[in-house]
PDB file of all heavy atoms in Angstrom:
ATOM      1  N   SER V  84     -12.716  13.562 -33.345  1.00 97.00           N
ATOM      2  CA  SER V  84     -12.663  13.156 -31.971  1.00 97.00           C
ATOM      3  C   SER V  84     -11.991  11.822 -31.713  1.00 97.00           C
ATOM      4  O   SER V  84     -11.802  11.512 -30.569  1.00 97.00           O
ATOM      5  CB  SER V  84     -13.997  13.297 -31.338  1.00 97.00           C
ATOM      6  OG  SER V  84     -14.934  12.389 -31.968  1.00 97.00           O
ATOM      7  N   GLN V  85     -11.838  11.067 -32.768  1.00 98.00           N
ATOM      8  CA  GLN V  85     -11.298   9.767 -32.672  1.00 98.00           C
ATOM      9  C   GLN V  85      -9.740   9.824 -32.791  1.00 98.00           C
ATOM     10  O   GLN V  85      -9.003   8.890 -32.714  1.00 98.00           O
ATOM     11  CB  GLN V  85     -11.799   8.831 -33.660  1.00 98.00           C
ATOM     12  CG  GLN V  85     -13.266   8.473 -33.345  1.00 98.00           C
ATOM     13  CD  GLN V  85     -13.878   7.495 -34.390  1.00 98.00           C
ATOM     14  OE1 GLN V  85     -13.786   7.798 -35.675  1.00 98.00           O
ATOM     15  NE2 GLN V  85     -14.609   6.455 -33.987  1.00 98.00           N
ATOM     16  N   THR V  86      -9.197  11.010 -32.851  1.00 98.00           N
ATOM     17  CA  THR V  86      -7.743  11.283 -32.840  1.00 98.00           C
ATOM     18  C   THR V  86      -7.282  10.794 -31.434  1.00 98.00           C
ATOM     19  O   THR V  86      -7.787  11.357 -30.450  1.00 98.00           O
ATOM     20  CB  THR V  86      -7.367  12.746 -33.032  1.00 98.00           C
ATOM     21  OG1 THR V  86      -7.749  13.008 -34.453  1.00 98.00           O
ATOM     22  CG2 THR V  86      -5.857  12.991 -32.836  1.00 98.00           C
ATOM     23  N   SER V  87      -6.394   9.993 -31.415  1.00 98.00           N
ATOM     24  CA  SER V  87      -5.901   9.371 -30.147  1.00 98.00           C
ATOM     25  C   SER V  87      -4.815   8.386 -30.311  1.00 98.00           C
ATOM     26  O   SER V  87      -4.426   8.090 -31.445  1.00 98.00           O
ATOM     27  CB  SER V  87      -7.132   8.523 -29.495  1.00 98.00           C
ATOM     28  OG  SER V  87      -6.815   8.219 -28.118  1.00 98.00           O
ATOM     29  N   VAL V  88      -4.256   7.838 -29.224  1.00 98.00           N
ATOM     30  CA  VAL V  88      -3.376   6.696 -29.273  1.00 98.00           C
ATOM     31  C   VAL V  88      -4.188   5.467 -28.855  1.00 98.00           C
ATOM     32  O   VAL V  88      -4.811   5.439 -27.827  1.00 98.00           O
ATOM     33  CB  VAL V  88      -2.069   6.894 -28.395  1.00 98.00           C
ATOM     34  CG1 VAL V  88      -1.245   5.640 -28.478  1.00 98.00           C
ATOM     35  CG2 VAL V  88      -1.412   8.126 -28.811  1.00 98.00           C
ATOM     36  N   TYR V  89      -4.112   4.405 -29.703  1.00 98.00           N
ATOM     37  CA  TYR V  89      -4.909   3.189 -29.523  1.00 98.00           C
ATOM     38  C   TYR V  89      -3.967   2.144 -29.030  1.00 98.00           C
ATOM     39  O   TYR V  89      -2.972   1.835 -29.715  1.00 98.00           O
ATOM     40  CB  TYR V  89      -5.623   2.858 -30.735  1.00 98.00           C
ATOM     41  CG  TYR V  89      -6.791   3.883 -31.067  1.00 98.00           C
ATOM     42  CD1 TYR V  89      -6.493   4.957 -31.773  1.00 98.00           C
ATOM     43  CD2 TYR V  89      -8.088   3.611 -30.607  1.00 98.00           C
ATOM     44  CE1 TYR V  89      -7.567   5.892 -32.108  1.00 98.00           C
ATOM     45  CE2 TYR V  89      -9.079   4.583 -30.971  1.00 98.00           C
ATOM     46  CZ  TYR V  89      -8.807   5.731 -31.665  1.00 98.00           C
ATOM     47  OH  TYR V  89      -9.825   6.560 -31.903  1.00 98.00           O
ATOM     48  N   PHE V  90      -4.356   1.550 -27.995  1.00 98.00           N
ATOM     49  CA  PHE V  90      -3.590   0.320 -27.406  1.00 98.00           C
ATOM     50  C   PHE V  90      -4.357  -0.942 -27.454  1.00 98.00           C
ATOM     51  O   PHE V  90      -5.509  -0.902 -27.038  1.00 98.00           O
ATOM     52  CB  PHE V  90      -3.083   0.658 -26.025  1.00 98.00           C
ATOM     53  CG  PHE V  90      -1.962   1.592 -25.860  1.00 98.00           C
ATOM     54  CD1 PHE V  90      -2.254   2.884 -25.506  1.00 98.00           C
ATOM     55  CD2 PHE V  90      -0.603   1.275 -26.213  1.00 98.00           C
ATOM     56  CE1 PHE V  90      -1.223   3.829 -25.537  1.00 98.00           C
ATOM     57  CE2 PHE V  90       0.313   2.145 -26.155  1.00 98.00           C
ATOM     58  CZ  PHE V  90       0.008   3.450 -25.723  1.00 98.00           C
ATOM     59  N   CYS V  91      -3.756  -1.905 -27.966  1.00 98.00           N
ATOM     60  CA  CYS V  91      -4.373  -3.331 -27.929  1.00 98.00           C
ATOM     61  C   CYS V  91      -3.684  -4.046 -26.775  1.00 98.00           C
ATOM     62  O   CYS V  91      -2.473  -3.834 -26.487  1.00 98.00           O
ATOM     63  CB  CYS V  91      -4.085  -4.005 -29.256  1.00 98.00           C
ATOM     64  SG  CYS V  91      -4.661  -5.762 -29.258  1.00 98.00           S
ATOM     65  N   ALA V  92      -4.404  -4.912 -26.095  1.00 97.00           N
ATOM     66  CA  ALA V  92      -3.884  -5.714 -24.931  1.00 97.00           C
ATOM     67  C   ALA V  92      -4.455  -7.003 -24.917  1.00 97.00           C
ATOM     68  O   ALA V  92      -5.515  -7.242 -25.525  1.00 97.00           O
ATOM     69  CB  ALA V  92      -4.156  -4.927 -23.538  1.00 97.00           C
ATOM     70  N   SER V  93      -3.787  -7.912 -24.119  1.00 97.00           N
ATOM     71  CA  SER V  93      -4.327  -9.218 -24.074  1.00 97.00           C
ATOM     72  C   SER V  93      -4.027  -9.764 -22.685  1.00 97.00           C
ATOM     73  O   SER V  93      -3.079  -9.216 -21.952  1.00 97.00           O
ATOM     74  CB  SER V  93      -3.746 -10.315 -25.068  1.00 97.00           C
ATOM     75  OG  SER V  93      -2.416 -10.498 -24.817  1.00 97.00           O
ATOM     76  N   SER V  94      -4.775 -10.789 -22.162  1.00 95.00           N
ATOM     77  CA  SER V  94      -4.573 -11.436 -20.853  1.00 95.00           C
ATOM     78  C   SER V  94      -5.105 -12.778 -20.940  1.00 95.00           C
ATOM     79  O   SER V  94      -5.804 -13.142 -21.839  1.00 95.00           O
ATOM     80  CB  SER V  94      -5.248 -10.612 -19.777  1.00 95.00           C
ATOM     81  OG  SER V  94      -6.558 -10.751 -19.733  1.00 95.00           O
ATOM     82  N   ASP V  95      -4.758 -13.554 -19.861  1.00 90.00           N
ATOM     83  CA  ASP V  95      -5.396 -14.856 -19.867  1.00 90.00           C
ATOM     84  C   ASP V  95      -6.911 -14.742 -19.358  1.00 90.00           C
ATOM     85  O   ASP V  95      -7.307 -13.608 -19.077  1.00 90.00           O
ATOM     86  CB  ASP V  95      -4.622 -15.863 -18.883  1.00 90.00           C
ATOM     87  CG  ASP V  95      -4.558 -15.458 -17.438  1.00 90.00           C
ATOM     88  OD1 ASP V  95      -5.390 -14.634 -17.010  1.00 90.00           O
ATOM     89  OD2 ASP V  95      -3.717 -16.061 -16.726  1.00 90.00           O
TER      90      ASP V  95
END
Side-chain angles (χ1 to χ4, degrees):
Chain V
S84 62
Q85 292 178 311
T86 293
S87 186
V88 180
Y89 291 85
F90 287 101
C91 180
S93 71
S94 74
D95 69 13

